[in-house]
Amino acid sequence: MKKIAAFFLFVFTILAGTSFAFQTSGFTNPYGVVVDQKTGLIYVGNVNGGVDDKDDNGFISRLKTDGTIDLIKFIDGASPDIMLHAPKGMAILGNFLYVCDLDALHTYDLTTGKQLFDVNFGTLPHQSFYAITIGPDGALYLADAGMNVIYRIDVAKQHEVTAFAAGEDFGSPHGMAWYPARQVFVVSGNASGQITAYDRSGKRQQTPGIFVKTLEGMDVDDTGNLYVASRDLGSVYRMSPTFAINGYQVGLQSPVGVGLNRATKEMIVTSFSGNTVQSYPTVK
């Protein structure tokens, strides 16, 4: 029975579909992706090397809604006034573009690309930032994969940083999102292969025991579905509010970043080693 179940799962995932709305190439190890929901512009972080390399050669590309490249190097670490090593998760709040870069959280002007400031973590230990999201309270929540910590950044209080939650349960978090359908933060553990959930106070909530290798970025659509990428399995999975999971897009090459374009109802996915960015409809 287990073999039969595994066979049907295999067939199902193969038939899940890989048609895309657009596919754009020309990137260099693209990782994080975020969409400006006001303008439809898409921002893609290019690591341009190893994910841990402190080489100041990372860059941010800007795409139009249809996937065509507006500026391949909208923000360029090679510029003398820009510091950017290996950009990963990103978030847009107001006219600020926040970028996770190794042990720093950079802030850039969303319009001009000018580097504004780095968030000050004071004496708080921090090591390897991978994901950032906006919480229901308007604060930023940042995942540190090296420390297994989620930090809360109160933008209204001059970007005051506090520890929101910590523990080995995070399993080296590479993705995070606020999940309105369940009123929790969901976190994808790259090392653990598990999705964990936490309420607004940082207390862990029960979730089904789902194990998927090398989980990466995640996002949520407007109908309550959660999307999460598995780099090694070459798939983006879709999970319903009841945590039923299926293969949304399979047969991909090293998918890592996942970001929703609400206007077009498309999920944008980056391919780290394929050096492409694809867009897939979330509704048929």
Side-chain angles (χ1 to χ4, degrees), residues 206-279:
Q206 287 188 337
T207 55
I210 297 170
F211 295 86
V212 181
K213 289 178 62 178
T214 56
L215 292 175
E216 293 283 353
M218 60 195 335
D219 207 346
V220 179
D221 70 18
D222 291 334
T223 62
N225 292 310
L226 171 68
Y227 299 75
V228 60
S230 169
R231 181 171 175 173
D232 284 1
L233 296 181
S235 299
V236 175
Y237 295 94
R238 178 160 57 190
M239 188 179 301
S240 72
T242 61
F243 289 106
I245 188 170
N246 64 68
Y248 166 64
Q249 297 295 334
V250 301
L252 308 181
Q253 185 176 357
S254 59
V256 284
V258 178
L260 176 70
N261 186 331
R262 288 189 170 84
T264 61
K265 293 181 173 58
E266 296 169 7
M267 197 61 68
I268 317 297
V269 181
T270 62
S271 168
F272 185 80
S273 59
N275 295 318
T276 58
V277 175
Q278 294 83 229
S279 173

Side-chain angles (χ1 to χ4, degrees), residues 36-104:
D36 184 349
Q37 304 299 340
K38 293 181 179 178
T39 64
L41 292 172
I42 303 164
Y43 297 83
V44 176
N46 295 258
V47 171
N48 194 14
V51 292
D52 298 319
D53 292 351
K54 203 165 190 176
D55 47 21
D56 197 24
N57 70 349
F59 60 95
I60 308 294
S61 302
R62 189 171 71 187
L63 283 64
K64 299 177 182 179
T65 301
D66 63 1
T68 57
I69 296 175
D70 182 37
L71 288 169
I72 190 65
K73 292 187 176 181
F74 169 59
I75 299 171
D76 188 1
S79 300
D81 55 345
I82 296 291
M83 178 66 72
L84 189 60
H85 301 293
K88 300 182 182 73
M90 297 182 288
I92 293 173
L93 192 57
N95 200 44
F96 289 167
L97 175 65
Y98 295 89
V99 179
C100 297
D101 184 21
L102 303 183
D103 60 353

Side-chain angles (χ1 to χ4, degrees), residues 14 32 76 138 140 161 174 185 188 217 221 237 257 270 276:
I14 289 298
D76 188 1
L140 295 168
V161 183
H174 278 205
F185 290 96
S188 58
D221 70 18
Y237 295 94
T270 62
T276 58

Side-chain angles (χ1 to χ4, degrees), residues 101-159:
D101 184 21
L102 303 183
D103 60 353
L105 180 61
H106 303 310
T107 307
Y108 302 92
D109 186 290
L110 188 62
T111 303
T112 65
K114 179 181 178 182
Q115 188 158 6
L116 302 175
F117 60 90
D118 287 357
V119 173
N120 184 3
F121 284 76
T123 59
L124 288 172
H126 52 286
Q127 187 177 102
S128 183
F129 300 153
Y130 264 82
I132 185 168
T133 193
I134 302 170
D137 56 355
L140 295 168
Y141 290 79
L142 175 71
D144 188 326
M147 300 295 297
N148 280 312
V149 175
I150 303 296
Y151 295 102
R152 180 181 182 273
I153 302 168
D154 193 333
V155 178
K157 293 184 178 180
Q158 298 183 324
H159 292 81

Side-chain angles (χ1 to χ4, degrees), residues 164-179:
F164 174 70
E168 294 301 316
D169 289 348
F170 283 121
S172 187
H174 278 205
M176 181 172 53
W178 170 249
Y179 195 14

